Amino acid sequence: MLLFRSRYLFIPQLSSSILPKSHPPKSFHLQFSLSSNHPTNLHLHPQALSTSATPPPPSDATAKLTRTVLFVPPGVEPNEVTEEMILPGSNIVVGPYAGHSQIKEVAFVKSSTRPKDCPKDGLPEFAVLGRSNVGKSSLINSLVRKKEVALTSKKPGKTQLINHFLINKTWYIVDLPGYGFAKASESARTDWSVFTKGYFLNRTSLVAVLLLVDASVPPQKIDLDCANWLGRNNIPITFVFTKCDKMKGGKGARPEENIRSFQGLIRDNYKQHPPWIMTSSVTNLGRDELLLHMSQLRNYWDV
């Protein structure tokens, strides 16, 4: 079994691990220890965010969720979490580092064939990764509210470079080559794997990886293998479930059932569940919530 760690998150159930704001480093920690003794249901139905100045005390159920499956960001004590603080369709708690999250300006900067050719300005960045037909480019276009910002195609595997998009002149979304079904030679797929891994291992400005998982199909081994590799190498992950609007014409499992199955597999390796969120580039489900989550990670990283 593996030990999963993240450079930019912290242990939810240990309040002592929250780093003092007077000397914040560039990263914070979340250790994912192996365990198989966890609740069987991670599917949450949180209420909408509340602006109440005095939130109600946490219920026993919420306290249990906080200890086991919620992502609690810096600045929030686990015993302070209420259902109103959880982003809808996710396990993500909103904390004080959440701020401006809307994208007003996006500009393509460059495509790189090697990690060392990527921008060197040190701005924080989020890498978008997933199977070649997971809807990666469609999610990026949805986030930035523009069509064809990222290359989309009915043929999977069109993204073959590391593509940097500058957001609001302050941070990056990075579109990475998809894995799994790319229409390319074996040698090309190997090269993509090598330079993508090189990017993860050497990119100091990386805040987190948005690992996209197709919710319209049952869990795929290749997605779990990718998550395992990222975990072994201390790369922070947020699971982004895509295509949550899709139904399979009465055949197969519903998206929420596939998500529960995937989470069940993740529970076998993670004592505390990494952040996850449901999205759809068709209906824009989860778009604003994902951007808010990214804002609090980015703002803490950038302190």
Side-chain angles (χ1 to χ4, degrees):
M1 286 293 187
L2 308 174
L3 176 65
F4 292 81
R5 302 179 63 189
S6 170
R7 291 175 293 177
Y8 305 117
L9 312 178
F10 77 109
I11 304 174
Q13 76 272 31
L14 298 181
S15 59
S16 62
S17 66
I18 299 177
L19 300 172
K21 295 180 66 174
S22 57
H23 300 285
K26 278 287 186 181
S27 64
F28 47 101
H29 296 273
L30 171 56
Q31 292 188 351
F32 296 126
S33 302
L34 301 176
S35 176
S36 59
N37 299 319
H38 295 290
T40 58
N41 184 9
L42 293 182
H43 190 58
L44 305 180
H45 299 277
Q47 302 174 13
L49 288 175
S50 171
T51 58
S52 172
T54 307
S59 64
D60 291 342
T62 301
K64 185 175 182 180
L65 287 173
T66 303
R67 293 193 300 270
T68 57
V69 301
L70 293 183
F71 168 70
V72 183
V76 177
E77 293 286 350
N79 60 2
E80 296 175 347
V81 174
T82 66
E83 292 183 3
E84 289 77 16
M85 298 169 64
I86 306 170
L87 289 175
S90 80
N91 72 334
I92 298 167
V93 175
V94 175
Y97 284 95
H100 174 71
S101 59
Q102 294 304 307
I103 294 177
K104 295 185 177 180
E105 182 178 350
V106 56
F108 171 74
V109 175
K110 67 179 303 187
S111 295
S112 306
T113 59
R114 300 174 298 178
K116 67 179 182 179
D117 296 329
C118 292
K120 298 178 175 59
D121 50 23
L123 293 177
E125 55 193 47
F126 292 85
V128 183
L129 180 67
R131 287 190 296 124
S132 296
N133 59 348
V134 75
K136 192 160 45 71
S137 296
S138 296
L139 177 73
I140 293 175
N141 292 337
S142 174
L143 290 177
V144 302
R145 299 173 185 263
K146 293 181 182 293
K147 294 182 179 179
E148 299 180 355
V149 168
L151 180 63
T152 59
S153 172
K154 292 183 179 180
K155 295 182 179 180
K158 297 296 289 186
T159 303
Q160 302 178 21
L161 301 167
I162 302 174
N163 299 304
H164 275 75
F165 297 92
L166 183 62
I167 309 299
N168 297 341
K169 298 181 179 179
T170 57
W171 58 282
Y172 288 107
I173 289 178
V174 185
D175 189 9
L176 294 176
Y179 54 81
F181 300 102
K183 297 287 186 179
S185 65
E186 185 65 32
S187 61
R189 288 197 296 271
T190 300
D191 289 343
W192 297 348
S193 175
V194 169
F195 82 67
T196 300
K197 290 181 178 179
Y199 164 85
F200 289 134
L201 295 174
N202 299 294
R203 196 66 177 166
T204 58
S205 55
L206 178 64
V207 176
V209 173
L210 306 182
L211 182 57
L212 275 55
V213 177
D214 187 345
S216 71
V217 299
Q220 304 292 301
K221 181 178 182 299
I222 193 169
D223 293 327
L224 296 168
D225 289 343
C226 181
N228 289 348
W229 185 88
L230 292 168
R232 285 197 304 271
N233 288 278
N234 303 327
I235 311 298
I237 306 171
T238 291
F239 289 106
V240 179
F241 293 104
T242 64
K243 306 182 184 180
C244 290
D245 59 290
K246 289 204 170 184
M247 304 297 292
K248 289 298 184 180
K251 297 181 180 179
R254 296 166 60 90
E256 57 267 29
E257 294 170 348
N258 292 325
I259 291 173
R260 281 197 294 268
S261 296
F262 188 89
Q263 290 171 337
L265 295 171
I266 292 298
R267 273 202 313 279
D268 291 339
N269 290 331
Y270 290 76
K271 182 172 291 185
Q272 287 82 44
H273 206 298
W276 62 266
I277 188 168
M278 300 170 65
T279 69
S280 166
S281 60
V282 175
T283 66
N284 291 321
L285 171 72
R287 177 186 62 195
D288 293 342
E289 289 80 7
L290 177 56
L291 287 171
L292 190 60
H293 167 61
M294 294 165 68
S295 81
Q296 62 184 1
L297 295 184
R298 185 177 68 252
N299 289 338
Y300 187 83
W301 182 94
D302 206 27
V303 171

